[in-house]
Amino acid sequence: MITVKGIAWTAGFLEGEGYFEGRIRDKAKGMGASVSIQVVQKQREPLLRLKRFFGGKVRRARWKAPKGSCWRWTRSGLKSIEIMMTIYCLMSPWRQKQIRQSLHAWKSSKGRSYNIGEKPNHADPTRKIYMRKYRERLRKSCVALRAI
């Protein structure tokens, strides 16, 4: 389980090195959106720490760096949305704008990518209760993190 210190480290690391992406694959129909977070680094250790905290994949980057290889951590789907929402209040205004744009692209799409096997049932009352509790936990964690 990630600690408050781990969340703060993640926010700082992604502030400097992260890439937040939200895209719609078929813009004409407004379908097939996906959201992801990516980091490319020469050092593998910080990426392995992200993987330990949030899962995702750490792979060699496809291109060859002039002086050695690079590594890339990628996390997509609902977990990337959770990460973005968790660290949002700790990010600079510029990064907050990137996160808002990524989430807007995903949210406005008709065919969202969930990356968890099947789409959730939006009419399910237990999901609504879960989302309300999740938003409340996020609000409390943002208040706690600002106090640090």
Side-chain angles (χ1 to χ4, degrees):
M1 184 164 128
I2 189 167
T3 63
V4 173
K5 184 178 175 182
I7 292 171
W9 177 86
T10 300
F13 187 68
L14 293 178
E15 175 71 45
E17 304 293 332
Y19 173 70
F20 302 94
E21 178 184 43
R23 62 187 165 111
I24 299 173
R25 285 186 285 273
D26 187 352
K27 290 186 180 185
K29 295 178 184 175
M31 300 201 47
S34 64
V35 178
S36 67
I37 303 171
Q38 297 181 30
V39 180
V40 176
Q41 281 278 297
K42 283 192 166 201
Q43 305 258 338
R44 190 175 179 202
E45 191 278 325
L47 304 181
L48 292 175
R49 183 185 291 187
L50 285 172
K51 183 178 179 180
R52 198 169 52 248
F53 288 160
F54 305 108
K57 296 177 183 174
V58 175
R59 297 182 177 161
R60 284 193 188 273
R62 287 186 215 160
W63 63 90
K64 298 281 186 188
K67 296 180 181 178
S69 62
C70 287
W71 297 90
R72 179 177 54 207
W73 172 78
T74 305
R75 184 65 184 164
S76 58
L78 288 178
K79 189 67 175 180
S80 68
I81 293 169
E82 290 175 9
I83 296 166
M84 288 181 201
M85 291 174 67
T86 301
I87 65 173
Y88 179 83
C89 60
L90 300 171
M91 305 303 271
S92 68
W94 182 69
R95 288 292 190 183
Q96 287 180 351
K97 181 180 176 185
Q98 281 187 329
I99 291 171
R100 279 194 310 271
Q101 288 172 341
S102 299
L103 295 177
H104 177 72
W106 177 80
K107 198 172 162 185
S108 64
S109 171
K110 295 175 188 169
R112 299 179 190 146
S113 170
Y114 287 94
N115 257 9
I116 57 171
E118 65 180 69
K119 294 182 180 180
N121 180 1
H122 293 288
D124 182 11
T126 58
R127 182 182 181 281
K128 290 180 182 179
I129 292 168
Y130 169 78
M131 291 306 291
R132 189 176 328 121
K133 288 179 180 178
Y134 180 73
R135 283 193 292 272
E136 183 61 31
R137 280 195 317 253
L138 281 177
R139 195 175 317 110
K140 286 179 182 177
S141 67
C142 281
V143 170
L145 287 170
R146 284 185 184 147
I148 293 175

